[in-house]
Amino acid sequence: MARTDQQRYDETITFLKGFNKALGDEVDHLITDKAKAGKDISLEGGGYWYSGSDDQHKAVRSYLLCLVAYYRPPYGTRDDATYAIGLEKTRLHGKSLNQVKEEILYFLPVPHPTLEDVVKAAKSIDKLNGSIYGPIRTRKDDMLGPNPICYDGVAAWLYAAGFVSKRWFAKSGGINANNANRYIGTGQEVQPADWDKIPAGHIWNIHKKNDPTTCHWGVSLGNGKAAATNNTAESPAGKVNFEAGGGSKYGRFVFKEICDVLNKDTRYRLAGGQDHSSGINITVLQLNPSHEHYY
């Protein structure tokens, strides 16, 4: 006899709690219409009848159940789960039990992420193609999308390093100028004499004085170097000399160069193109992701 939708849910949440109790408990709490969720995670039509073990099927359903919990309101900002479930049911077909379990853990930060991992991600995740759609992104993807904005790079690198999880993407609904400080962090101001001393793995934020929404974000690589996406390449102050393989869409460069360029960029000046009375039109902030409360 075929299981009911409620039975499918019960079986799946039991498996998920057995794999990771904290995650399973939260998913169980978030999903109120459990029978509907049980229907949504059915593998019917996905070819699973001839592929994978019973436990692998339960793991795939557990992953899909996490999409239901986090990528629909009230936790998520919108319903991305309905579309993502179809994609992920196909993508996970044929993956081993352990591979699916690994992807379930993408809904959690890694236990002990490091600043070195952020630097590694900022250097290796640099492909200007593919999708950065949050629900289906893995920590092994090396793509930034064809036209990434600066938040896309920072988000991808924090995720690959394990500081943030898929729950973070679902809650934010996408980082933008108005919510970046809320989801990435505020940081501490860096004086001009120390612009080249931001520690490796720290996130930096350059914004117009008294206007945090006119801003640029990226990652320090240490030794005065940085990486970022959607970079302003030049202004009356000069230009940014990107390292080989870099550019305005994705680039690695001397951090002080981009500070100088943005400091004279018209968008960062006062109305009418005037300089700030201090002579410095930008505020530079640094933040240590290890000190932020991500999820």
Side-chain angles (χ1 to χ4, degrees):
M1 181 180 297
R3 63 173 68 84
T4 66
D5 294 334
Q6 182 65 52
Q7 288 172 333
R8 185 182 299 107
Y9 177 90
D10 292 341
E11 178 185 89
T12 303
I13 200 66
T14 297
F15 180 90
L16 182 58
K17 289 181 179 181
F19 173 58
N20 189 293
K21 189 175 188 306
L23 183 62
D25 285 344
E26 184 173 66
V27 167
D28 198 21
H29 172 74
L30 288 171
I31 296 177
T32 54
D33 192 339
K34 303 184 188 306
K36 182 181 185 307
K39 180 179 181 180
D40 290 342
I41 63 173
S42 170
L43 300 181
E44 184 178 359
Y48 284 82
W49 64 273
Y50 64 82
S51 173
S53 65
D54 184 54
D55 277 350
Q56 190 262 2
H57 295 176
K58 291 176 181 177
V60 172
R61 293 191 197 99
S62 294
Y63 177 92
L64 301 180
L65 198 62
C66 290
L67 289 176
V68 172
Y70 297 115
Y71 279 94
R72 282 180 181 156
Y75 191 94
T77 58
R78 58 181 180 263
D79 180 8
D80 282 317
T82 300
Y83 177 63
I85 283 172
L87 297 176
E88 295 297 71
K89 188 163 64 172
T90 299
R91 186 178 67 84
L92 295 174
H93 182 272
K95 289 189 177 291
S96 70
L97 172 61
N98 286 337
Q99 286 175 318
V100 179
K101 284 183 173 181
E102 179 183 9
E103 297 218 14
I104 292 172
L105 294 179
Y106 291 164
F107 287 92
L108 299 171
V110 303
H112 303 289
T114 69
L115 297 177
E116 290 79 7
D117 289 332
V118 179
V119 172
K120 180 180 178 181
K123 289 181 176 180
S124 62
I125 299 176
D126 60 356
K127 303 297 186 298
L128 297 171
N129 54 37
S131 171
I132 58 169
Y133 184 49
I136 66 173
R137 188 179 188 101
T138 78
R139 287 196 168 112
K140 297 178 180 178
D141 291 333
D142 64 357
M143 61 194 68
L144 291 166
N147 294 292
I149 56 177
C150 61
Y151 319 105
D152 294 334
V154 173
W157 301 329
L158 285 175
Y159 177 58
F163 280 96
V164 304
S165 70
K166 285 193 174 184
R167 295 185 298 169
W168 185 80
F169 284 106
K171 178 66 75 175
S172 70
I175 307 300
N176 57 55
N178 294 309
N179 67 17
N181 289 122
R182 187 190 337 158
Y183 289 110
I184 301 176
T186 302
Q188 298 178 323
E189 185 169 355
V190 183
Q191 297 304 315
D194 296 323
W195 283 350
D196 60 348
K197 298 180 179 63
I198 297 178
H202 285 220
I203 308 302
W204 49 261
N205 167 19
I206 303 169
H207 70 76
K208 180 178 179 179
K209 275 192 182 296
N210 304 316
D211 179 13
T213 63
T214 301
C215 57
H216 190 40
W217 292 76
V219 165
S220 172
L221 305 178
N223 299 314
K225 298 291 187 69
T229 56
N230 193 31
N231 301 289
T232 299
E234 57 186 302
S235 77
K239 65 178 182 178
V240 178
N241 296 295
F242 296 106
E243 292 185 359
S248 59
K249 289 188 177 183
Y250 165 85
R252 299 198 295 272
F253 45 85
V254 174
F255 180 62
K256 191 175 183 303
E257 287 185 0
I258 206 164
C259 291
D260 292 338
V261 163
L262 294 182
N263 189 47
K264 293 301 181 182
D265 188 275
T266 55
R267 293 169 299 170
Y268 289 78
R269 291 180 170 183
L270 299 176
Q274 302 301 308
D275 285 333
H276 189 271
S277 59
S278 67
I280 303 295
N281 300 312
I282 60 174
T283 297
V284 177
L285 302 171
Q286 69 177 48
L287 63 99
N288 184 345
S290 300
H291 297 165
E292 298 296 320
H293 180 64
Y294 295 128
Y295 48 85

PDB file of all heavy atoms in Angstrom, residues 16-46:
ATOM      1  N   LEU A  16      15.579  12.746   9.073  1.00  0.00           N
ATOM      2  CA  LEU A  16      16.339  13.987   9.193  1.00  0.00           C
ATOM      3  C   LEU A  16      16.776  14.220  10.638  1.00  0.00           C
ATOM      4  O   LEU A  16      17.922  14.608  10.888  1.00  0.00           O
ATOM      5  CB  LEU A  16      15.496  15.161   8.688  1.00  0.00           C
ATOM      6  CG  LEU A  16      16.174  16.541   8.698  1.00  0.00           C
ATOM      7  CD1 LEU A  16      17.455  16.535   7.871  1.00  0.00           C
ATOM      8  CD2 LEU A  16      15.208  17.613   8.176  1.00  0.00           C
ATOM      9  N   LYS A  17      15.900  13.971  11.588  1.00  0.00           N
ATOM     10  CA  LYS A  17      16.268  14.147  12.993  1.00  0.00           C
ATOM     11  C   LYS A  17      17.333  13.143  13.416  1.00  0.00           C
ATOM     12  O   LYS A  17      18.195  13.452  14.243  1.00  0.00           O
ATOM     13  CB  LYS A  17      15.029  14.010  13.887  1.00  0.00           C
ATOM     14  CG  LYS A  17      14.059  15.177  13.780  1.00  0.00           C
ATOM     15  CD  LYS A  17      12.864  14.997  14.700  1.00  0.00           C
ATOM     16  CE  LYS A  17      11.911  16.177  14.612  1.00  0.00           C
ATOM     17  NZ  LYS A  17      10.747  16.021  15.529  1.00  0.00           N
ATOM     18  N   GLY A  18      17.277  11.958  12.842  1.00  0.00           N
ATOM     19  CA  GLY A  18      18.302  10.969  13.142  1.00  0.00           C
ATOM     20  C   GLY A  18      19.659  11.359  12.587  1.00  0.00           C
ATOM     21  O   GLY A  18      20.701  11.028  13.156  1.00  0.00           O
ATOM     22  N   PHE A  19      19.646  12.088  11.467  1.00  0.00           N
ATOM     23  CA  PHE A  19      20.897  12.539  10.855  1.00  0.00           C
ATOM     24  C   PHE A  19      21.441  13.778  11.553  1.00  0.00           C
ATOM     25  O   PHE A  19      22.630  13.862  11.870  1.00  0.00           O
ATOM     26  CB  PHE A  19      20.660  12.824   9.375  1.00  0.00           C
ATOM     27  CG  PHE A  19      21.839  13.450   8.679  1.00  0.00           C
ATOM     28  CD1 PHE A  19      23.079  12.815   8.650  1.00  0.00           C
ATOM     29  CD2 PHE A  19      21.709  14.680   8.047  1.00  0.00           C
ATOM     30  CE1 PHE A  19      24.167  13.406   8.010  1.00  0.00           C
ATOM     31  CE2 PHE A  19      22.789  15.268   7.405  1.00  0.00           C
ATOM     32  CZ  PHE A  19      24.025  14.629   7.392  1.00  0.00           C
ATOM     33  N   ASN A  20      20.579  14.760  11.802  1.00  0.00           N
ATOM     34  CA  ASN A  20      20.974  15.980  12.500  1.00  0.00           C
ATOM     35  C   ASN A  20      19.759  16.479  13.274  1.00  0.00           C
ATOM     36  O   ASN A  20      18.870  17.103  12.698  1.00  0.00           O
ATOM     37  CB  ASN A  20      21.468  17.041  11.520  1.00  0.00           C
ATOM     38  CG  ASN A  20      22.084  18.242  12.224  1.00  0.00           C
ATOM     39  OD1 ASN A  20      21.409  18.995  12.911  1.00  0.00           O
ATOM     40  ND2 ASN A  20      23.387  18.404  12.068  1.00  0.00           N
ATOM     41  N   LYS A  21      19.749  16.212  14.574  1.00  0.00           N
ATOM     42  CA  LYS A  21      18.559  16.483  15.378  1.00  0.00           C
ATOM     43  C   LYS A  21      18.200  17.963  15.413  1.00  0.00           C
ATOM     44  O   LYS A  21      17.024  18.339  15.300  1.00  0.00           O
ATOM     45  CB  LYS A  21      18.739  15.968  16.801  1.00  0.00           C
ATOM     46  CG  LYS A  21      17.456  16.031  17.626  1.00  0.00           C
ATOM     47  CD  LYS A  21      17.624  15.406  18.985  1.00  0.00           C
ATOM     48  CE  LYS A  21      16.282  15.314  19.706  1.00  0.00           C
ATOM     49  NZ  LYS A  21      15.586  16.619  19.791  1.00  0.00           N
ATOM     50  N   ALA A  22      19.191  18.830  15.563  1.00  0.00           N
ATOM     51  CA  ALA A  22      18.899  20.262  15.654  1.00  0.00           C
ATOM     52  C   ALA A  22      18.235  20.764  14.374  1.00  0.00           C
ATOM     53  O   ALA A  22      17.251  21.509  14.417  1.00  0.00           O
ATOM     54  CB  ALA A  22      20.170  21.040  15.941  1.00  0.00           C
ATOM     55  N   LEU A  23      18.783  20.349  13.234  1.00  0.00           N
ATOM     56  CA  LEU A  23      18.207  20.753  11.955  1.00  0.00           C
ATOM     57  C   LEU A  23      16.819  20.164  11.789  1.00  0.00           C
ATOM     58  O   LEU A  23      15.872  20.858  11.389  1.00  0.00           O
ATOM     59  CB  LEU A  23      19.117  20.314  10.811  1.00  0.00           C
ATOM     60  CG  LEU A  23      18.695  20.727   9.395  1.00  0.00           C
ATOM     61  CD1 LEU A  23      18.669  22.240   9.249  1.00  0.00           C
ATOM     62  CD2 LEU A  23      19.628  20.112   8.353  1.00  0.00           C
ATOM     63  N   GLY A  24      16.663  18.881  12.103  1.00  0.00           N
ATOM     64  CA  GLY A  24      15.365  18.230  11.972  1.00  0.00           C
ATOM     65  C   GLY A  24      14.313  18.856  12.866  1.00  0.00           C
ATOM     66  O   GLY A  24      13.157  19.047  12.451  1.00  0.00           O
ATOM     67  N   ASP A  25      14.683  19.199  14.088  1.00  0.00           N
ATOM     68  CA  ASP A  25      13.735  19.825  15.012  1.00  0.00           C
ATOM     69  C   ASP A  25      13.276  21.182  14.485  1.00  0.00           C
ATOM     70  O   ASP A  25      12.091  21.527  14.582  1.00  0.00           O
ATOM     71  CB  ASP A  25      14.368  19.999  16.391  1.00  0.00           C
ATOM     72  CG  ASP A  25      14.453  18.693  17.168  1.00  0.00           C
ATOM     73  OD1 ASP A  25      13.771  17.718  16.782  1.00  0.00           O
ATOM     74  OD2 ASP A  25      15.199  18.649  18.164  1.00  0.00           O
ATOM     75  N   GLU A  26      14.210  21.948  13.931  1.00  0.00           N
ATOM     76  CA  GLU A  26      13.835  23.272  13.421  1.00  0.00           C
ATOM     77  C   GLU A  26      12.931  23.142  12.203  1.00  0.00           C
ATOM     78  O   GLU A  26      11.937  23.871  12.078  1.00  0.00           O
ATOM     79  CB  GLU A  26      15.077  24.076  13.077  1.00  0.00           C
ATOM     80  CG  GLU A  26      14.756  25.506  12.639  1.00  0.00           C
ATOM     81  CD  GLU A  26      15.993  26.364  12.466  1.00  0.00           C
ATOM     82  OE1 GLU A  26      16.789  26.074  11.546  1.00  0.00           O
ATOM     83  OE2 GLU A  26      16.144  27.332  13.231  1.00  0.00           O
ATOM     84  N   VAL A  27      13.259  22.227  11.295  1.00  0.00           N
ATOM     85  CA  VAL A  27      12.423  22.010  10.113  1.00  0.00           C
ATOM     86  C   VAL A  27      11.017  21.586  10.530  1.00  0.00           C
ATOM     87  O   VAL A  27      10.010  22.094  10.022  1.00  0.00           O
ATOM     88  CB  VAL A  27      13.064  20.952   9.192  1.00  0.00           C
ATOM     89  CG1 VAL A  27      12.069  20.479   8.126  1.00  0.00           C
ATOM     90  CG2 VAL A  27      14.325  21.505   8.531  1.00  0.00           C
ATOM     91  N   ASP A  28      10.929  20.689  11.485  1.00  0.00           N
ATOM     92  CA  ASP A  28       9.637  20.200  11.968  1.00  0.00           C
ATOM     93  C   ASP A  28       8.818  21.335  12.577  1.00  0.00           C
ATOM     94  O   ASP A  28       7.591  21.404  12.415  1.00  0.00           O
ATOM     95  CB  ASP A  28       9.870  19.099  13.001  1.00  0.00           C
ATOM     96  CG  ASP A  28       8.632  18.247  13.239  1.00  0.00           C
ATOM     97  OD1 ASP A  28       7.738  18.216  12.375  1.00  0.00           O
ATOM     98  OD2 ASP A  28       8.566  17.605  14.313  1.00  0.00           O
ATOM     99  N   HIS A  29       9.499  22.243  13.262  1.00  0.00           N
ATOM    100  CA  HIS A  29       8.811  23.382  13.877  1.00  0.00           C
ATOM    101  C   HIS A  29       8.320  24.371  12.821  1.00  0.00           C
ATOM    102  O   HIS A  29       7.218  24.936  12.949  1.00  0.00           O
ATOM    103  CB  HIS A  29       9.763  24.082  14.860  1.00  0.00           C
ATOM    104  CG  HIS A  29       9.228  25.373  15.395  1.00  0.00           C
ATOM    105  ND1 HIS A  29       8.216  25.424  16.338  1.00  0.00           N
ATOM    106  CD2 HIS A  29       9.549  26.678  15.109  1.00  0.00           C
ATOM    107  CE1 HIS A  29       7.942  26.693  16.623  1.00  0.00           C
ATOM    108  NE2 HIS A  29       8.727  27.458  15.894  1.00  0.00           N
ATOM    109  N   LEU A  30       9.104  24.588  11.788  1.00  0.00           N
ATOM    110  CA  LEU A  30       8.765  25.593  10.785  1.00  0.00           C
ATOM    111  C   LEU A  30       7.618  25.154   9.880  1.00  0.00           C
ATOM    112  O   LEU A  30       6.831  25.989   9.428  1.00  0.00           O
ATOM    113  CB  LEU A  30       9.996  25.909   9.930  1.00  0.00           C
ATOM    114  CG  LEU A  30      11.111  26.714  10.596  1.00  0.00           C
ATOM    115  CD1 LEU A  30      12.352  26.749   9.701  1.00  0.00           C
ATOM    116  CD2 LEU A  30      10.649  28.131  10.912  1.00  0.00           C
ATOM    117  N   ILE A  31       7.537  23.872   9.589  1.00  0.00           N
ATOM    118  CA  ILE A  31       6.506  23.388   8.654  1.00  0.00           C
ATOM    119  C   ILE A  31       5.214  23.117   9.411  1.00  0.00           C
ATOM    120  O   ILE A  31       5.152  22.255  10.293  1.00  0.00           O
ATOM    121  CB  ILE A  31       6.988  22.116   7.933  1.00  0.00           C
ATOM    122  CG1 ILE A  31       8.202  22.446   7.058  1.00  0.00           C
ATOM    123  CG2 ILE A  31       5.861  21.528   7.084  1.00  0.00           C
ATOM    124  CD1 ILE A  31       8.805  21.247   6.359  1.00  0.00           C
ATOM    125  N   THR A  32       4.192  23.866   9.082  1.00  0.00           N
ATOM    126  CA  THR A  32       2.906  23.702   9.766  1.00  0.00           C
ATOM    127  C   THR A  32       1.976  22.746   9.013  1.00  0.00           C
ATOM    128  O   THR A  32       1.289  21.947   9.628  1.00  0.00           O
ATOM    129  CB  THR A  32       2.225  25.074   9.938  1.00  0.00           C
ATOM    130  OG1 THR A  32       2.128  25.721   8.661  1.00  0.00           O
ATOM    131  CG2 THR A  32       3.039  25.956  10.883  1.00  0.00           C
ATOM    132  N   ASP A  33       1.954  22.844   7.685  1.00  0.00           N
ATOM    133  CA  ASP A  33       1.116  21.934   6.898  1.00  0.00           C
ATOM    134  C   ASP A  33       1.976  20.738   6.490  1.00  0.00           C
ATOM    135  O   ASP A  33       2.554  20.687   5.400  1.00  0.00           O
ATOM    136  CB  ASP A  33       0.573  22.645   5.661  1.00  0.00           C
ATOM    137  CG  ASP A  33      -0.537  21.850   4.967  1.00  0.00           C
ATOM    138  OD1 ASP A  33      -0.598  20.617   5.189  1.00  0.00           O
ATOM    139  OD2 ASP A  33      -1.309  22.446   4.205  1.00  0.00           O
ATOM    140  N   LYS A  34       2.052  19.769   7.374  1.00  0.00           N
ATOM    141  CA  LYS A  34       2.973  18.658   7.198  1.00  0.00           C
ATOM    142  C   LYS A  34       2.523  17.709   6.089  1.00  0.00           C
ATOM    143  O   LYS A  34       3.355  17.154   5.362  1.00  0.00           O
ATOM    144  CB  LYS A  34       3.165  17.935   8.525  1.00  0.00           C
ATOM    145  CG  LYS A  34       3.680  18.881   9.623  1.00  0.00           C
ATOM    146  CD  LYS A  34       3.958  18.161  10.916  1.00  0.00           C
ATOM    147  CE  LYS A  34       4.287  19.129  12.049  1.00  0.00           C
ATOM    148  NZ  LYS A  34       5.373  20.073  11.762  1.00  0.00           N
ATOM    149  N   ALA A  35       1.239  17.540   5.922  1.00  0.00           N
ATOM    150  CA  ALA A  35       0.755  16.665   4.850  1.00  0.00           C
ATOM    151  C   ALA A  35       1.086  17.266   3.480  1.00  0.00           C
ATOM    152  O   ALA A  35       1.502  16.545   2.564  1.00  0.00           O
ATOM    153  CB  ALA A  35      -0.747  16.442   4.988  1.00  0.00           C
ATOM    154  N   LYS A  36       0.918  18.581   3.350  1.00  0.00           N
ATOM    155  CA  LYS A  36       1.261  19.219   2.072  1.00  0.00           C
ATOM    156  C   LYS A  36       2.761  19.089   1.801  1.00  0.00           C
ATOM    157  O   LYS A  36       3.176  18.813   0.672  1.00  0.00           O
ATOM    158  CB  LYS A  36       0.873  20.698   2.076  1.00  0.00           C
ATOM    159  CG  LYS A  36       1.181  21.390   0.750  1.00  0.00           C
ATOM    160  CD  LYS A  36       0.804  22.858   0.771  1.00  0.00           C
ATOM    161  CE  LYS A  36       1.014  23.508  -0.595  1.00  0.00           C
ATOM    162  NZ  LYS A  36       2.358  23.315  -1.139  1.00  0.00           N
ATOM    163  N   ALA A  37       3.562  19.267   2.840  1.00  0.00           N
ATOM    164  CA  ALA A  37       5.010  19.113   2.672  1.00  0.00           C
ATOM    165  C   ALA A  37       5.341  17.690   2.255  1.00  0.00           C
ATOM    166  O   ALA A  37       6.218  17.463   1.412  1.00  0.00           O
ATOM    167  CB  ALA A  37       5.722  19.471   3.968  1.00  0.00           C
ATOM    168  N   GLY A  38       4.633  16.724   2.843  1.00  0.00           N
ATOM    169  CA  GLY A  38       4.846  15.336   2.467  1.00  0.00           C
ATOM    170  C   GLY A  38       4.533  15.075   1.014  1.00  0.00           C
ATOM    171  O   GLY A  38       5.224  14.299   0.337  1.00  0.00           O
ATOM    172  N   LYS A  39       3.518  15.752   0.499  1.00  0.00           N
ATOM    173  CA  LYS A  39       3.183  15.626  -0.916  1.00  0.00           C
ATOM    174  C   LYS A  39       4.242  16.285  -1.779  1.00  0.00           C
ATOM    175  O   LYS A  39       4.652  15.743  -2.820  1.00  0.00           O
ATOM    176  CB  LYS A  39       1.817  16.262  -1.181  1.00  0.00           C
ATOM    177  CG  LYS A  39       1.374  16.187  -2.640  1.00  0.00           C
ATOM    178  CD  LYS A  39      -0.002  16.821  -2.815  1.00  0.00           C
ATOM    179  CE  LYS A  39      -0.458  16.730  -4.268  1.00  0.00           C
ATOM    180  NZ  LYS A  39      -1.812  17.347  -4.459  1.00  0.00           N
ATOM    181  N   ASP A  40       4.718  17.442  -1.353  1.00  0.00           N
ATOM    182  CA  ASP A  40       5.695  18.198  -2.140  1.00  0.00           C
ATOM    183  C   ASP A  40       7.010  17.451  -2.319  1.00  0.00           C
ATOM    184  O   ASP A  40       7.709  17.654  -3.323  1.00  0.00           O
ATOM    185  CB  ASP A  40       5.974  19.558  -1.484  1.00  0.00           C
ATOM    186  CG  ASP A  40       4.792  20.508  -1.593  1.00  0.00           C
ATOM    187  OD1 ASP A  40       3.919  20.274  -2.438  1.00  0.00           O
ATOM    188  OD2 ASP A  40       4.757  21.490  -0.816  1.00  0.00           O
ATOM    189  N   ILE A  41       7.382  16.621  -1.352  1.00  0.00           N
ATOM    190  CA  ILE A  41       8.691  15.960  -1.410  1.00  0.00           C
ATOM    191  C   ILE A  41       8.620  14.562  -2.012  1.00  0.00           C
ATOM    192  O   ILE A  41       9.603  13.815  -1.975  1.00  0.00           O
ATOM    193  CB  ILE A  41       9.344  15.892  -0.019  1.00  0.00           C
ATOM    194  CG1 ILE A  41       8.503  15.054   0.946  1.00  0.00           C
ATOM    195  CG2 ILE A  41       9.578  17.300   0.536  1.00  0.00           C
ATOM    196  CD1 ILE A  41       9.178  14.811   2.300  1.00  0.00           C
ATOM    197  N   SER A  42       7.463  14.230  -2.588  1.00  0.00           N
ATOM    198  CA  SER A  42       7.358  12.932  -3.259  1.00  0.00           C
ATOM    199  C   SER A  42       8.368  12.845  -4.396  1.00  0.00           C
ATOM    200  O   SER A  42       8.592  13.809  -5.131  1.00  0.00           O
ATOM    201  CB  SER A  42       5.945  12.749  -3.814  1.00  0.00           C
ATOM    202  OG  SER A  42       5.883  11.622  -4.654  1.00  0.00           O
ATOM    203  N   LEU A  43       8.985  11.694  -4.548  1.00  0.00           N
ATOM    204  CA  LEU A  43       9.962  11.471  -5.612  1.00  0.00           C
ATOM    205  C   LEU A  43       9.320  10.870  -6.866  1.00  0.00           C
ATOM    206  O   LEU A  43      10.023  10.507  -7.804  1.00  0.00           O
ATOM    207  CB  LEU A  43      11.077  10.547  -5.121  1.00  0.00           C
ATOM    208  CG  LEU A  43      11.874  11.049  -3.911  1.00  0.00           C
ATOM    209  CD1 LEU A  43      12.968  10.056  -3.547  1.00  0.00           C
ATOM    210  CD2 LEU A  43      12.464  12.432  -4.174  1.00  0.00           C
ATOM    211  N   GLU A  44       8.006  10.785  -6.876  1.00  0.00           N
ATOM    212  CA  GLU A  44       7.303  10.214  -8.026  1.00  0.00           C
ATOM    213  C   GLU A  44       7.660  10.979  -9.298  1.00  0.00           C
ATOM    214  O   GLU A  44       7.689  12.211  -9.325  1.00  0.00           O
ATOM    215  CB  GLU A  44       5.792  10.281  -7.795  1.00  0.00           C
ATOM    216  CG  GLU A  44       4.973   9.613  -8.911  1.00  0.00           C
ATOM    217  CD  GLU A  44       3.485   9.649  -8.630  1.00  0.00           C
ATOM    218  OE1 GLU A  44       3.096  10.178  -7.566  1.00  0.00           O
ATOM    219  OE2 GLU A  44       2.728   9.146  -9.476  1.00  0.00           O
ATOM    220  N   GLY A  45       7.955  10.230 -10.344  1.00  0.00           N
ATOM    221  CA  GLY A  45       8.280  10.826 -11.626  1.00  0.00           C
ATOM    222  C   GLY A  45       9.737  11.223 -11.768  1.00  0.00           C
ATOM    223  O   GLY A  45      10.150  11.691 -12.824  1.00  0.00           O
ATOM    224  N   GLY A  46      10.522  10.989 -10.709  1.00  0.00           N
ATOM    225  CA  GLY A  46      11.926  11.373 -10.756  1.00  0.00           C
ATOM    226  C   GLY A  46      12.861  10.236 -11.114  1.00  0.00           C
ATOM    227  O   GLY A  46      14.087  10.427 -11.126  1.00  0.00           O
TER     228      GLY A  46
END
